[in-house]
CSV table of all heavy atoms in Angstrom, one decimal:
chain,number,residue,atom,x,y,z
A,678,HIS,N,83.9,-85.3,-14.1
A,678,HIS,CA,82.6,-86.0,-14.2
A,678,HIS,C,81.5,-85.0,-14.6
A,678,HIS,O,81.3,-83.9,-14.1
A,678,HIS,CB,82.3,-86.5,-12.8
A,678,HIS,CG,83.2,-87.6,-12.4
A,678,HIS,ND1,83.2,-88.2,-11.2
A,678,HIS,CD2,84.1,-88.3,-13.2
A,678,HIS,CE1,84.2,-89.1,-11.1
A,678,HIS,NE2,84.7,-89.2,-12.3
A,679,VAL,N,80.7,-85.5,-15.6
A,679,VAL,CA,79.5,-84.8,-16.0
A,679,VAL,C,78.4,-85.8,-15.9
A,679,VAL,O,78.7,-87.0,-15.9
A,679,VAL,CB,79.6,-84.2,-17.4
A,679,VAL,CG1,80.6,-83.2,-17.5
A,679,VAL,CG2,79.8,-85.3,-18.4
A,680,PRO,N,77.1,-85.4,-15.7
A,680,PRO,CA,76.1,-86.4,-15.6
A,680,PRO,C,76.0,-87.2,-16.9
A,680,PRO,O,76.2,-86.7,-18.0
A,680,PRO,CB,74.8,-85.5,-15.5
A,680,PRO,CG,75.3,-84.2,-15.1
A,680,PRO,CD,76.6,-84.0,-15.7
A,681,VAL,N,75.7,-88.5,-16.7
A,681,VAL,CA,75.4,-89.4,-17.8
A,681,VAL,C,73.9,-89.8,-17.7
A,681,VAL,O,73.2,-89.4,-16.7
A,681,VAL,CB,76.3,-90.6,-17.8
A,681,VAL,CG1,77.7,-90.2,-18.0
A,681,VAL,CG2,76.1,-91.4,-16.5
A,682,HIS,N,73.4,-90.6,-18.6
A,682,HIS,CA,72.0,-90.9,-18.6
A,682,HIS,C,71.6,-91.5,-17.3
A,682,HIS,O,70.5,-91.2,-16.8
A,682,HIS,CB,71.6,-91.8,-19.8
A,682,HIS,CG,71.4,-91.1,-21.1
A,682,HIS,ND1,72.5,-90.9,-22.0
A,682,HIS,CD2,70.4,-90.5,-21.6
A,682,HIS,CE1,72.0,-90.3,-23.0
A,682,HIS,NE2,70.7,-90.0,-22.8
A,683,ALA,N,72.4,-92.4,-16.7
A,683,ALA,CA,72.1,-93.1,-15.5
A,683,ALA,C,71.9,-92.1,-14.3
A,683,ALA,O,71.2,-92.5,-13.3
A,683,ALA,CB,73.1,-94.1,-15.1
A,684,ASP,N,72.4,-90.9,-14.4
A,684,ASP,CA,72.3,-89.9,-13.4
A,684,ASP,C,71.0,-89.1,-13.5
A,684,ASP,O,70.6,-88.3,-12.6
A,684,ASP,CB,73.4,-88.9,-13.4
A,684,ASP,CG,74.8,-89.6,-13.1
A,684,ASP,OD1,74.9,-90.3,-12.1
A,684,ASP,OD2,75.7,-89.4,-13.9
A,685,ILE,N,70.3,-89.2,-14.6
A,685,ILE,CA,69.2,-88.3,-14.9
A,685,ILE,C,67.9,-89.1,-14.9
A,685,ILE,O,67.8,-90.1,-15.6
A,685,ILE,CB,69.4,-87.6,-16.3
A,685,ILE,CG1,70.7,-86.8,-16.2
A,685,ILE,CG2,68.2,-86.7,-16.6
A,685,ILE,CD1,70.8,-85.8,-15.1
A,686,HIS,N,66.9,-88.6,-14.2
A,686,HIS,CA,65.6,-89.4,-14.1
A,686,HIS,C,64.5,-88.5,-14.6
A,686,HIS,O,64.6,-88.0,-15.7
A,686,HIS,CB,65.5,-89.8,-12.6
A,686,HIS,CG,66.6,-90.7,-12.2
A,686,HIS,ND1,66.6,-92.1,-12.5
A,686,HIS,CD2,67.8,-90.5,-11.6
A,686,HIS,CE1,67.8,-92.6,-12.1
A,686,HIS,NE2,68.5,-91.7,-11.5
A,687,ASP,N,63.5,-88.2,-13.8
A,687,ASP,CA,62.3,-87.6,-14.2
A,687,ASP,C,62.5,-86.0,-14.1
A,687,ASP,O,62.6,-85.5,-13.0
A,687,ASP,CB,61.2,-88.1,-13.4
A,687,ASP,CG,59.8,-87.5,-13.8
A,687,ASP,OD1,59.7,-86.9,-14.9
A,687,ASP,OD2,58.9,-87.6,-13.0
A,688,ILE,N,62.5,-85.4,-15.3
A,688,ILE,CA,62.6,-83.9,-15.2
A,688,ILE,C,61.4,-83.3,-16.0
A,688,ILE,O,61.1,-83.7,-17.1
A,688,ILE,CB,63.9,-83.4,-15.9
A,688,ILE,CG1,65.1,-83.9,-15.1
A,688,ILE,CG2,63.9,-81.9,-15.9
A,688,ILE,CD1,66.4,-83.6,-15.7
A,689,LYS,N,60.6,-82.5,-15.3
A,689,LYS,CA,59.5,-81.9,-15.9
A,689,LYS,C,59.7,-80.4,-16.1
A,689,LYS,O,60.2,-79.7,-15.1
A,689,LYS,CB,58.2,-82.0,-15.0
A,689,LYS,CG,57.6,-83.4,-15.1
A,689,LYS,CD,56.2,-83.4,-14.6
A,689,LYS,CE,55.6,-84.8,-14.7
A,689,LYS,NZ,56.3,-85.8,-13.9
A,690,ILE,N,59.4,-79.8,-17.2
A,690,ILE,CA,59.6,-78.4,-17.5
A,690,ILE,C,58.2,-77.8,-17.7
A,690,ILE,O,57.4,-78.3,-18.4
A,690,ILE,CB,60.4,-78.2,-18.8
A,690,ILE,CG1,61.6,-79.1,-18.9
A,690,ILE,CG2,60.7,-76.7,-19.0
A,690,ILE,CD1,62.7,-78.8,-18.0
A,691,ILE,N,58.0,-76.7,-17.0
A,691,ILE,CA,56.7,-75.9,-17.2
A,691,ILE,C,57.1,-74.5,-17.7
A,691,ILE,O,58.0,-73.9,-17.0
A,691,ILE,CB,56.0,-75.8,-15.8
A,691,ILE,CG1,55.7,-77.2,-15.2
A,691,ILE,CG2,54.8,-74.9,-16.0
A,691,ILE,CD1,55.3,-77.1,-13.8
A,692,PHE,N,56.5,-74.1,-18.7
A,692,PHE,CA,56.6,-72.6,-19.1
A,692,PHE,C,55.4,-71.9,-18.6
A,692,PHE,O,54.3,-72.3,-19.1
A,692,PHE,CB,56.8,-72.5,-20.6
A,692,PHE,CG,58.1,-72.9,-21.1
A,692,PHE,CD1,58.3,-74.1,-21.9
A,692,PHE,CD2,59.3,-72.2,-20.8
A,692,PHE,CE1,59.5,-74.5,-22.3
A,692,PHE,CE2,60.5,-72.6,-21.2
A,692,PHE,CZ,60.6,-73.8,-22.0
A,693,VAL,N,55.5,-71.0,-17.7
A,693,VAL,CA,54.3,-70.3,-17.2
A,693,VAL,C,54.0,-69.2,-18.2
A,693,VAL,O,54.9,-68.7,-18.9
A,693,VAL,CB,54.4,-69.8,-15.8
A,693,VAL,CG1,54.9,-70.9,-14.8
A,693,VAL,CG2,55.3,-68.6,-15.7
A,694,ASP,N,52.7,-68.8,-18.3
A,694,ASP,CA,52.3,-67.8,-19.2
A,694,ASP,C,52.9,-66.4,-18.7
A,694,ASP,O,52.8,-66.1,-17.5
A,694,ASP,CB,50.8,-67.7,-19.1
A,694,ASP,CG,50.2,-67.4,-20.4
A,694,ASP,OD1,50.8,-67.8,-21.4
A,694,ASP,OD2,49.1,-66.7,-20.5
A,695,GLU,N,53.6,-65.7,-19.6
A,695,GLU,CA,54.1,-64.4,-19.2
A,695,GLU,C,54.0,-63.4,-20.4
A,695,GLU,O,54.6,-63.7,-21.4
A,695,GLU,CB,55.5,-64.5,-18.7
A,695,GLU,CG,56.0,-63.2,-18.0
A,695,GLU,CD,57.4,-63.4,-17.5
A,695,GLU,OE1,58.4,-63.6,-18.3
A,695,GLU,OE2,57.6,-63.3,-16.2
A,696,GLN,N,53.2,-62.4,-20.2
A,696,GLN,CA,53.1,-61.4,-21.2
A,696,GLN,C,54.1,-60.3,-21.0
A,696,GLN,O,54.3,-59.8,-19.9
A,696,GLN,CB,51.7,-60.7,-21.2
A,696,GLN,CG,50.6,-61.7,-21.1
A,696,GLN,CD,50.3,-62.4,-22.4
A,696,GLN,OE1,50.5,-61.8,-23.5
A,696,GLN,NE2,49.9,-63.6,-22.3
A,697,ASP,N,54.9,-59.9,-22.0
A,697,ASP,CA,55.9,-58.9,-21.9
A,697,ASP,C,55.9,-58.0,-23.1
A,697,ASP,O,55.8,-58.5,-24.2
A,697,ASP,CB,57.3,-59.5,-21.7
A,697,ASP,CG,58.3,-58.5,-21.2
A,697,ASP,OD1,58.7,-57.6,-22.0
A,697,ASP,OD2,58.7,-58.6,-20.0
A,698,ASP,N,55.9,-56.7,-22.9
A,698,ASP,CA,55.9,-55.8,-24.1
A,698,ASP,C,57.2,-55.1,-24.3
A,698,ASP,O,57.2,-54.0,-24.9
A,698,ASP,CB,54.7,-54.8,-24.0
A,698,ASP,CG,54.9,-53.9,-22.8
A,698,ASP,OD1,55.9,-54.0,-22.0
A,698,ASP,OD2,54.0,-53.0,-22.5
A,699,SER,N,58.3,-55.6,-23.8
A,699,SER,CA,59.6,-55.0,-24.0
A,699,SER,C,60.0,-55.0,-25.5
A,699,SER,O,60.9,-54.2,-25.9
A,699,SER,CB,60.7,-55.7,-23.2
A,699,SER,OG,60.4,-55.8,-21.9
A,700,ASN,N,59.5,-56.0,-26.2
A,700,ASN,CA,59.8,-56.0,-27.7
A,700,ASN,C,58.6,-56.5,-28.3
A,700,ASN,O,57.7,-57.1,-27.7
A,700,ASN,CB,61.0,-56.9,-27.9
A,700,ASN,CG,60.9,-58.3,-27.4
A,700,ASN,OD1,60.1,-59.1,-27.9
A,700,ASN,ND2,61.5,-58.6,-26.2
A,701,PRO,N,58.4,-56.2,-29.7
A,701,PRO,CA,57.1,-56.5,-30.3
A,701,PRO,C,56.7,-58.0,-30.2
A,701,PRO,O,55.5,-58.2,-30.1
A,701,PRO,CB,57.4,-56.2,-31.8
A,701,PRO,CG,58.5,-55.1,-31.7
A,701,PRO,CD,59.3,-55.5,-30.5
Side-chain angles (χ1 to χ4, degrees):
H678 293 170
V679 296
V681 297
H682 278 94
D684 297 309
I685 300 304
H686 301 277
D687 180 15
I688 298 176
K689 284 197 179 64
I690 312 292
I691 301 164
F692 289 109
V693 311
D694 218 31
E695 190 178 65
Q696 311 287 324
D697 194 286
D698 63 0
S699 304
N700 55 78

